[in-house]
Amino acid sequence: MKIYVTDLKGKEHALEAIEGWRVMEIIREHGLSIKAECGGCCACATCHVYVDESWLDKLPAMRDDEEEMLDEAFDLQDNSRLSCQLIMSDELDGLKLSLAPSDA
Ligand code: FES
């Protein structure tokens, strides 16, 4: 399975994804720039991504802690999510997203 990640320069990368991994971990493992300072504990908002509109409905709903953390993210948009809260599964095969700037 794969995910498609657009970096801050607008270049799309097709990344091999592994079921059960956090999307944040997949991005980091492939060497793309993502801070993910808290390592996936939903406590930093530096794994912020923008999910392609066509995928928004297919994602699991946000938990309260993700929503609260996102409130502190830099440049929040309607399609913002924390990539450490998205767990790779068959349903997310082909997921498209863009990295968000993380100056926060
Ligand atoms: Fe810190 Fe996702 S890695 S909130």
Side-chain angles (χ1 to χ4, degrees):
M1 59 182 79
K2 285 211 178 343
I3 60 171
Y4 298 89
V5 178
T6 303
D7 66 21
L8 292 176
K9 295 191 185 109
K11 184 172 185 314
E12 187 176 83
H13 304 261
L15 307 183
E16 201 59 47
I18 299 171
E19 183 164 12
W21 280 39
R22 297 167 189 276
V23 169
M24 173 277 278
E25 293 170 320
I26 297 165
I27 296 170
R28 196 171 57 181
E29 190 66 19
H30 286 84
L32 295 187
S33 153
I34 189 159
K35 281 199 199 144
E37 278 162 359
C38 76
C41 302
C42 200
C44 73
T46 59
C47 63
H48 179 197
V49 296
Y50 303 126
V51 175
D52 189 89
E53 302 285 340
S54 61
W55 281 91
L56 284 177
D57 294 350
K58 303 185 184 108
L59 297 179
M62 268 193 235
R63 294 195 327 214
D64 291 351
D65 48 355
E66 181 179 354
E67 217 167 316
E68 278 164 30
M69 215 53 242
L70 265 176
D71 276 344
E72 315 209 347
F74 181 75
D75 222 352
L76 188 68
Q77 296 184 9
D78 287 346
N79 59 344
S80 289
R81 292 293 301 252
L82 293 180
S83 60
C84 72
Q85 299 304 303
L86 301 174
I87 310 288
M88 201 56 208
S89 65
D90 277 346
E91 287 82 65
L92 297 189
D93 187 12
L95 177 69
K96 273 183 198 260
L97 54 86
S98 305
L99 299 181
S102 65
D103 294 342

